[in-house]
Amino acid sequence: MQYDVIIIGGSYAGLAAGMPLARARRKILVIDGGQRRNRFAQHSHGFLTQDGADAGAIAAKGREQLLAYDTVHWLEGKASSAERTEHGFRVQIEGMESLEARRLVLATGVVDLLPDVPGLAERWGSHVFHCPYCHGYELNQGQIGVLASSPMSMHLALLLPDWGATTFFLNDAFEPDDEQLEKLKARGVRLERNRIARIEGALELIMQDGRMVKLDGLFTATRLEVASPIAALVGCEFDEGSFGRTIKTDLMKASTVQGVYACGDAARPGRGCVKTQNHFSGERVRLRSNLETNLHVKH
């Protein structure tokens, strides 16, 4: 057996999972493809002690601290498949030999599937966002838009007036009922039923009727997709949520496949959002406790 644990994913969740295992002197391998979910954002906000820090620098510092432990190995690459073996799991890395471990930790993250509006994807993370707590403050109470993608967009539309004057672009994706219209009116939200044709400039919304609406920030609720096929390949079950599928885990972060654990956005039902210190500390404790206990059990 080459490793005690292979962690697939080297962003915040994978790093947080690796640290207690390293301190337990477990031989671990982190496989990372370098595709952090927040790679489009320049700064991290709402992360205690790291507010305003470069998001990539936080991950780089975490990697540096983890690699200071001599039982930790790091591999830059993409895990393409995995299978159970007699003693654990075999993971295939694209263009490389397969590697084996007694346990797997899936910290693969998720992919945000954006509404199909020309020009929107190019502004994701710089002028188009999904979390007001991460990005709302910097808009300085300016002009804010909410682009509807489903009925769940109502939550954003009712929340965002705390950060600025809010316009709800329905875009033929959703029509509020009478009760919802009253709530939007009470919050001072302006409704825009004309579709967005495209986005230009910093954030200039060109409407289908030819009007141009200039905003300081645009928010939308994305669909989430687990970023790696590994969980499905090893037989993990998934939770179906309002925003997409996530890997099903118990309170100790164990998946439905014995010996496979999952953490981070890929294993959080609901809206994967701010990477907070409290969230990953609690998740790390549960994962460490269960995984350490399991590593002492031979099967």
Side-chain angles (χ1 to χ4, degrees):
M1 185 59 57
Q2 291 168 290
Y3 296 97
D4 290 317
V5 182
I6 288 179
I7 299 172
I8 301 177
S11 188
Y12 305 119
L15 293 168
M19 183 61 74
L21 291 170
R23 293 188 57 78
R25 300 188 181 277
R26 296 297 180 181
K27 186 178 181 182
I28 67 174
L29 171 69
V30 181
I31 302 172
D32 183 49
Q35 296 292 302
R36 289 179 296 106
R37 183 186 179 196
N38 71 348
R39 63 191 180 278
F40 303 103
Q42 293 183 345
H43 301 98
S44 170
H45 292 291
F47 191 155
L48 190 61
T49 78
Q50 299 292 337
D51 190 46
D54 180 273
I58 297 173
K61 184 66 173 178
R63 173 177 171 172
E64 176 188 340
Q65 292 181 347
L66 185 60
L67 288 176
Y69 292 86
D70 58 12
T71 60
V72 178
H73 302 263
W74 191 281
L75 179 60
E76 293 184 3
K78 183 178 180 181
S80 57
S81 65
E83 61 181 353
R84 182 180 285 282
T85 66
E86 182 181 356
H87 302 291
F89 299 89
R90 181 182 297 113
V91 178
Q92 181 64 52
I93 298 93
E94 285 186 359
M96 303 180 192
E97 64 178 341
S98 60
L99 298 168
E100 296 186 11
R102 295 168 60 197
R103 303 288 184 268
L104 291 184
V105 173
L106 306 181
T108 59
V110 296
V111 175
D112 290 282
L113 304 179
L114 302 172
D116 186 17
V117 175
L120 187 142
E122 294 84 345
R123 292 159 180 80
W124 180 244
S126 59
H127 294 88
V128 181
F129 314 108
H130 77 288
C131 174
Y133 293 97
C134 297
H135 304 284
Y137 184 85
E138 282 66 36
L139 300 179
N140 296 315
Q141 297 184 313
Q143 295 296 315
I144 296 173
V146 175
L147 173 59
S149 57
S150 74
M152 298 299 294
S153 301
M154 265 293 294
H155 175 70
L156 275 175
L158 292 173
L159 191 63
L160 274 157
D162 290 340
W163 283 272
T166 301
T167 300
F168 194 9
F169 295 84
L170 300 179
N171 223 45
D172 291 342
F174 166 65
E175 180 61 39
D177 60 26
D178 289 343
E179 182 180 355
Q180 291 169 327
L181 287 172
E182 285 299 317
K183 290 180 179 179
L184 291 166
K185 182 179 179 181
R187 291 286 281 155
V189 177
R190 177 178 173 271
L191 291 182
E192 175 60 70
R193 288 186 168 84
N194 201 270
R195 286 184 63 88
I196 302 170
R198 65 188 182 278
I199 303 176
E200 297 179 349
L203 194 57
E204 297 171 354
L205 277 56
I206 309 302
M207 311 303 293
Q208 284 192 337
D209 62 5
R211 289 178 297 122
M212 187 270 284
V213 180
K214 188 173 182 179
L215 298 173
D216 295 292
L218 178 65
F219 291 78
T220 190
T222 63
R223 290 284 298 174
L224 303 181
E225 185 176 88
V226 176
S228 167
I230 299 296
L233 289 173
V234 297
C236 294
E237 294 180 15
F238 291 80
D239 281 318
E240 297 287 346
S242 301
F243 295 101
R245 295 203 313 166
T246 53
I247 303 168
K248 186 175 183 177
T249 62
D250 62 18
L251 292 176
M252 301 301 287
K253 307 312 297 178
S255 78
T256 54
V257 174
Q258 189 173 31
V260 179
Y261 300 80
C263 58
D265 288 345
R268 277 202 292 166
R271 191 78 195 108
C273 186
V274 190
K275 276 63 173 185
T276 65
Q277 203 171 46
N278 287 340
H279 164 68
F280 280 127
S281 293
E283 188 169 75
R284 181 180 61 189
V285 167
R286 293 190 295 273
L287 176 65
R288 175 189 62 197
S289 174
N290 199 16
L291 188 50
E292 270 295 292
T293 300
N294 231 276
L295 281 168
H296 288 293
V297 179
K298 297 188 182 296
H299 38 236

